[in-house]
Amino acid sequence: MPRVPVGEGQPLLQAIRRSTRASLTDPDARLRLRATVLLPCVITAYFILYVLCHSVLNPYIYDKIASEYPSHSTSQKPCSANMTDPTGNTTAQKIQEKIEKRVSTFELYLGLTGSLTACLPVLFLGPLSDRFGRRIGFLFPIIGTMLKCGIYALVIGMDLSMNLFFLAHVAEALGGSFAAMLTTMFSVISDVTVPGPRRSIHITSMEAGQTLVQSFTMLAAGQGLKWNMKGLLIIGLGFGILAVILAVVIPETLPSGSTGHLSDPRAGVRSQWRDRGRECLGFLRACFAMPMKSLSIYVRGDKVKLTTRRLAIVAFILTVAVNFSKPGVWTLYLMKWPLCWSASELLTLSGTQITCNWIVILLVVAVLQKVFKMADRQIVLIGCVSSIMSAAFSSVAINDRMVYEVAVLSVMIRVIIPMLRSILSCAVDVTEQGAMYSGLGFIETLAVGVFGLAANRIYYATVSTFAGAVFVVCAALMFVALVVLVILNVVANRDRAEHKADGVNGNIQAQDADSVPDLIF
């Protein structure tokens, strides 16, 4: 039996109103509730694994390379005593610049190896989960990151060659890495919500939740680096095992092709996987057509929605370029004289900043949407201004006070991506959600390599003259994104004005909060 078609104003699973009777008698309601509870658990376990693994990389590489020089520099003490004096040892400063150049170059090659390898897996996983269910989209990135973490532990524990890190990054990339996990997470959210304020709030909340998990893990890792890097990796592997278990038991949020209901894992996990195996044979024949589904949504469709998708994806690319290229060079910038921040201090700053940012973002977004009725496309403009100001000010930060001021200016930058995800999810058909999120994951993964390469090389070339030049470039990119989003708002306002005479909502953010059915979450 073919699937029942679903309108754009409905979730993939029919909307369930808040009622005790519905939650007790409707199997979809019970399974949706279970999926809603288990989704953040899977995401939490995975990102603890991911962050613990990621946190040890830069300090370990820095320590290994610095040990080859007589400066006695380490990730916990990157500057020697005579560097802190403005008239200090110029030779020591030049040695530190050499260390930073080698560290940035090695991290560049690692980033390219992982990101370029992960591009295709991410592009396939979205459409793959649209066809075979969301569970497969959880397991691939979890297992890939666990392999990476295991190789890290062997290299650090046995003092093996750092070249084995390349194998670790390939293993994680084949699973799609964090981009595949986010693709699946947002696909699940789109399965059970309607376009409009509720979806944007849910997307923003989950984005905030996974980011807060990362921030708390960074805070713990900052202290753990003083203790034992290998121990952090072993703890991460433990959370990876937990993530696998949770991914296996979480209900599918994609309706079954035969019944239109969620499949209860207690009723037939084994039979589900057997059926998936048979279907995979058919899928392999058409696997090369799948990426085209993720790309085709930007070349066809309703005129206004197509314009919305194109403008939003341009702004998304520019934002991702800054978000993925800035942190790596910012870390090296803070470790460099005259700031001289240690690895533990950097992780503590990042964790604290992310936590404070999301507390502010959630409060501000709630007020702007509930009180001032602002649309996602308007809220995202605030994030762009915040990003421009923080990037520009980063380029001239020369003391701790200015670093803290940068943190304050950047308080709203993380609102941009979830708002753009929400805008795009409202501008595609409900059957294209996985493909759309897969395309965004592909862009994020590619950005790690392409834009990370550009930022890394700019920093490498200017570290001895004007190390903040890369942040000026970031500010320029975000200014372009701001212009694009202003155009998006003009298009949206014009579309709504044209429909207002007919009493019809515009195509962009059409759903009013009062017209959206109450959901169980």
Side-chain angles (χ1 to χ4, degrees):
M1 178 186 297
R3 290 180 183 167
V4 179
V6 184
E8 289 184 30
Q10 298 173 290
L12 294 184
L13 304 174
Q14 57 180 290
I16 307 298
R17 293 185 177 275
R18 288 193 184 101
S19 70
T20 305
R21 181 180 179 184
S23 62
L24 291 175
T25 59
D26 193 320
D28 278 355
R30 294 195 300 269
L31 292 177
R32 287 176 67 245
L33 178 61
R34 194 186 313 161
T36 302
V37 172
L38 288 177
L39 177 62
C41 296
V42 177
I43 299 302
T44 296
Y46 172 78
F47 276 103
I48 291 176
L49 162 67
Y50 179 83
V51 173
L52 288 177
C53 189
H54 181 76
S55 297
V56 305
L57 181 63
N58 178 270
Y60 183 77
I61 294 174
Y62 192 99
D63 289 344
K64 288 290 288 185
I65 292 177
S67 66
E68 302 175 13
Y69 294 87
S71 62
H72 305 292
S73 176
T74 68
S75 61
Q76 293 297 336
K77 191 177 179 181
C79 297
S80 57
N82 54 6
M83 282 187 193
T84 59
D85 185 350
T87 60
N89 192 333
T90 304
T91 302
Q93 294 176 16
K94 289 186 176 180
I95 290 177
Q96 186 193 47
E97 290 173 1
K98 288 181 180 179
I99 294 172
E100 289 215 334
K101 286 183 176 181
R102 287 188 58 186
V103 171
S104 65
T105 301
F106 191 81
E107 289 184 338
L108 167 66
Y109 293 145
L110 280 179
L112 286 174
T113 300
S115 60
L116 297 182
T117 306
C119 287
L120 285 180
V122 171
L123 201 57
F124 281 117
L125 275 176
L128 185 67
S129 71
D130 282 343
R131 180 167 180 176
F132 299 123
R134 308 303 184 197
R135 191 176 290 122
I136 193 172
F138 287 122
L139 291 174
F140 269 80
I142 293 171
I143 293 173
T145 304
M146 286 183 68
L147 290 173
K148 173 185 174 182
C149 191
I151 295 173
Y152 273 23
L154 287 175
V155 171
I156 294 174
M158 302 178 66
D159 196 24
L160 302 176
S161 169
M162 288 198 303
N163 290 331
L164 289 174
F165 284 157
F166 290 99
L167 177 61
H169 280 241
V170 170
E172 182 184 46
L174 292 176
S177 189
F178 73 93
M181 179 60 71
L182 292 179
T183 295
T184 306
M185 180 181 81
F186 294 123
S187 296
V188 170
I189 294 173
S190 294
D191 288 349
V192 295
T193 59
V194 296
R198 281 184 174 82
R199 177 173 293 176
S200 64
I201 285 292
H202 201 164
I203 289 175
T204 304
S205 299
M206 283 301 300
E207 183 99 6
Q210 62 91 7
T211 311
L212 288 173
V213 167
Q214 294 187 56
S215 69
F216 292 138
T217 307
M218 286 179 187
L219 289 171
Q223 302 305 312
L225 285 176
K226 303 174 183 177
W227 167 56
N228 192 325
M229 289 185 183
K230 183 181 176 181
L232 291 178
L233 296 173
I234 293 174
I235 294 172
L237 286 171
F239 278 98
I241 294 172
L242 175 61
V244 169
I245 295 172
L246 292 171
V248 170
V249 301
I250 190 172
E252 288 285 4
T253 57
L254 196 67
S256 168
S258 58
T259 64
H261 293 282
L262 290 177
S263 52
D264 189 340
R266 298 174 302 178
V269 172
R270 184 176 301 175
S271 62
Q272 290 176 37
W273 283 106
R274 187 165 53 247
D275 293 341
R276 298 296 184 268
R278 296 193 189 101
E279 292 177 359
C280 277
L281 295 177
F283 171 78
L284 289 174
R285 300 189 188 100
C287 63
F288 290 104
M290 283 295 183
M292 296 306 299
K293 185 177 180 182
S294 297
L295 300 175
S296 63
I297 60 177
Y298 301 104
V299 296
R300 60 175 176 77
D302 173 82
K303 181 179 179 181
V304 175
K305 284 191 174 183
L306 186 59
T307 302
T308 300
R309 295 171 199 166
R310 290 174 175 174
L311 290 172
I313 201 65
V314 170
F316 185 86
I317 292 171
L318 294 171
T319 303
V320 166
V322 173
N323 284 8
F324 281 96
S325 60
K326 183 181 175 183
V329 292
W330 182 240
T331 296
L332 293 173
Y333 184 82
L334 291 180
M335 294 178 76
K336 182 181 178 297
W337 184 87
L339 293 169
C340 301
W341 284 53
S342 70
S344 293
E345 290 172 333
L346 286 168
L347 288 171
T348 302
L349 172 68
S350 297
T352 304
Q353 181 180 351
I354 292 171
T355 302
C356 295
N357 284 4
W358 274 110
I359 291 173
V360 173
I361 286 172
L362 291 175
L363 291 174
V364 170
V365 170
V367 171
L368 293 179
Q369 287 194 330
K370 297 295 184 181
V371 178
F372 297 98
K373 308 299 181 183
M374 289 182 65
D376 299 343
R377 54 188 167 78
Q378 297 167 331
I379 296 174
V380 76
L381 296 174
I382 301 173
C384 273
V385 173
S386 176
S387 184
I388 292 169
M389 293 174 63
S390 65
F393 205 66
S394 297
S395 65
V396 294
I398 56 174
N399 55 52
D400 291 353
R401 179 180 59 82
M402 297 180 76
V403 172
Y404 297 133
E405 290 170 349
V406 169
V408 173
L409 290 172
S410 63
V411 68
M412 290 296 292
I413 63 174
R414 292 182 177 272
V415 79
I416 304 174
I417 289 181
M419 290 296 105
L420 289 174
R421 291 188 201 277
S422 179
I423 292 169
L424 283 165
S425 72
C426 298
V428 299
D429 188 74
V430 292
T431 60
E432 299 172 320
Q433 296 294 328
M436 185 271 294
Y437 287 122
S438 179
L440 297 184
F442 172 81
I443 291 170
E444 289 178 300
T445 308
L446 188 63
V448 174
V450 176
F451 296 115
L453 167 64
N456 189 291
R457 293 301 88 184
I458 292 173
Y459 183 79
Y460 185 99
T462 61
V463 65
S464 302
T465 53
F466 177 37
V470 63
F471 306 121
V472 175
V473 175
C474 289
L477 289 175
M478 289 311 302
F479 180 79
V480 176
L482 179 63
V483 173
V484 171
L485 288 168
V486 169
I487 297 173
L488 174 62
N489 274 269
V490 172
V491 171
N493 291 333
R494 183 180 302 168
D495 179 59
R496 293 177 70 87
E498 290 175 355
H499 286 77
K500 188 175 181 180
D502 301 326
V504 180
N505 285 331
N507 286 321
I508 302 175
Q509 302 269 323
Q511 286 71 21
D512 192 317
D514 296 332
S515 67
V516 182
D518 288 331
L519 303 181
I520 62 173
F521 47 81

